Amino acid sequence: MNHNLAMQLREGTQKSHALAENTAFMKCFLKGVVERDPFRHLIANLYFIYSALEEEMRRHAHHSVVGTLYFPSLERVPQLEKDLAFYYGKNWRGGIMASSAGLHYIERIHQVANQNPSLLVAHAYVRYMGDLSGGQALKAIIRSALQLPEGYGTAFYEFDDISTVEARRAFKGQYRDALNSLPIEMSLVRKIVDEANVAFRLDCNIVNELEPLVKAAIGEHVFDLITRQDTLGRTEYHHRSPTVSTELVSSVTV
């Protein structure tokens, strides 16, 4: 195949990428302003989203397109369960629910899985490559801001089988090759890129819903000071803050 889907996805989602990085929630995050309550609500939403995504990826594991991008080592639900037990306690299952935006995200995943399973590739790409890239920078910010005990609170960002920088770099190369080898025509490439932009928008809706919790935790004045600053490009952030690498936020650099 010569469709170069990896490049098409990277270039075709740049604007959505910038919007995701410049939500008010992420602006606070990148300044090291991470509050426990909004963060645990985010983790709860991610649990439901990844449960839906991983259920559908497994269901379509033998699909000619989806199966090529199905890597069990990427699955996040077991890790999210660890974090939920830490933030909500042992009875966490009865204490969480998806937000309105979370429910829309989940519905979209099931919808594309039923109507055009190949589009699951877009959702897997946005989520997992973001976790392996910018998610690693976010992990450091969270641990510092919340002063977490060693081994607790950021299991979501930890990949037991892809645990080093070198391993993540190699895996992303493997993932890129898998994207580029998919047996698809350009018409489907365009649909996958469009769906990746939908995934970014759905993700933005999740964090936008959390803004009131952040504002309540840090105060409206501080919130406004942080969020009214000019937006920055991806490569500019690390010049402002030494805690953030050039691979940041939901960055899906592959």
Side-chain angles (χ1 to χ4, degrees):
M1 297 291 137
N2 60 1
H3 47 66
N4 202 346
L5 178 57
M7 183 185 72
Q8 297 282 345
L9 279 165
R10 179 174 172 78
E11 294 184 353
T13 59
Q14 284 182 348
K15 288 182 180 179
S16 294
H17 216 151
L19 288 172
E21 291 174 355
N22 287 286
T23 59
F25 185 90
M26 280 302 172
K27 281 185 177 181
C28 290
F29 227 111
L30 289 168
K31 289 292 185 182
V33 180
V34 182
E35 296 294 330
R36 192 182 184 95
D37 193 45
F39 181 65
R40 73 174 189 163
H41 277 80
L42 174 61
I43 291 294
N45 269 301
L46 291 177
Y47 169 75
F48 292 110
I49 291 162
Y50 279 88
S51 293
L53 177 59
E54 290 167 7
E55 172 192 332
E56 296 294 2
M57 292 295 287
R58 286 192 298 272
R59 183 161 74 96
H60 293 89
H62 300 293
H63 187 276
S64 60
V65 174
V66 179
T68 305
L69 270 296
Y70 175 54
F71 295 92
S73 61
L74 291 177
E75 293 192 350
R76 298 290 82 203
V77 169
Q79 299 296 90
L80 284 161
E81 290 176 345
K82 294 177 186 177
D83 286 339
L84 289 168
F86 174 72
Y87 289 109
Y88 286 90
K90 63 180 181 179
N91 298 319
W92 61 268
R93 291 183 188 277
I96 65 169
M97 60 186 296
S99 68
S100 176
L103 290 172
H104 284 125
Y105 201 150
I106 293 159
E107 288 168 7
R108 181 66 178 191
I109 290 170
H110 290 309
Q111 179 185 26
V112 301
N114 289 326
Q115 296 179 0
N116 190 350
S118 296
L119 299 185
L120 286 170
V121 168
H123 289 274
Y125 166 81
V126 170
R127 294 252 54 106
Y128 294 122
M129 292 303 99
D131 301 335
L132 284 168
S133 298
Q136 301 306 303
L138 292 184
K139 175 186 172 183
I141 294 173
I142 295 159
R143 298 205 64 78
S144 175
L146 297 181
Q147 299 182 330
L148 295 173
E150 187 67 30
Y152 292 93
T154 52
F156 170 62
Y157 300 102
E158 294 161 9
F159 293 80
D160 293 341
D161 298 327
I162 321 169
S163 59
T164 66
V165 172
E166 294 76 13
R168 288 191 292 271
R169 185 180 300 118
F171 182 86
K172 288 190 286 184
Q174 180 185 354
Y175 202 91
R176 180 179 60 244
D177 291 343
L179 286 168
N180 292 338
S181 72
L182 293 179
I184 57 178
E185 302 298 326
M186 283 304 299
S187 59
L188 185 50
V189 167
R190 287 189 288 271
K191 289 178 181 178
I192 290 172
V193 173
D194 288 345
E195 189 64 25
N197 283 302
V198 170
F200 270 113
R201 186 170 68 249
L202 292 168
D203 187 63
C204 286
N205 291 344
I206 295 279
V207 297
N208 287 339
E209 267 192 344
L210 294 174
E211 281 185 27
L213 290 178
V214 178
K215 194 177 293 186
I218 68 175
E220 191 164 346
H221 178 65
V222 174
F223 180 86
D224 289 343
L225 282 175
I226 294 171
T227 59
R228 73 186 181 193
Q229 293 178 8
D230 292 339
T231 57
L232 302 171
R234 262 181 283 170
T235 57
E236 292 178 287
Y237 280 113
H238 77 289
H239 296 304
R240 295 286 187 95
S241 172
T243 61
V244 185
S245 73
T246 54
E247 291 183 325
L248 27 101
V249 199
S250 55
S251 178
V252 286
T253 306
V254 290

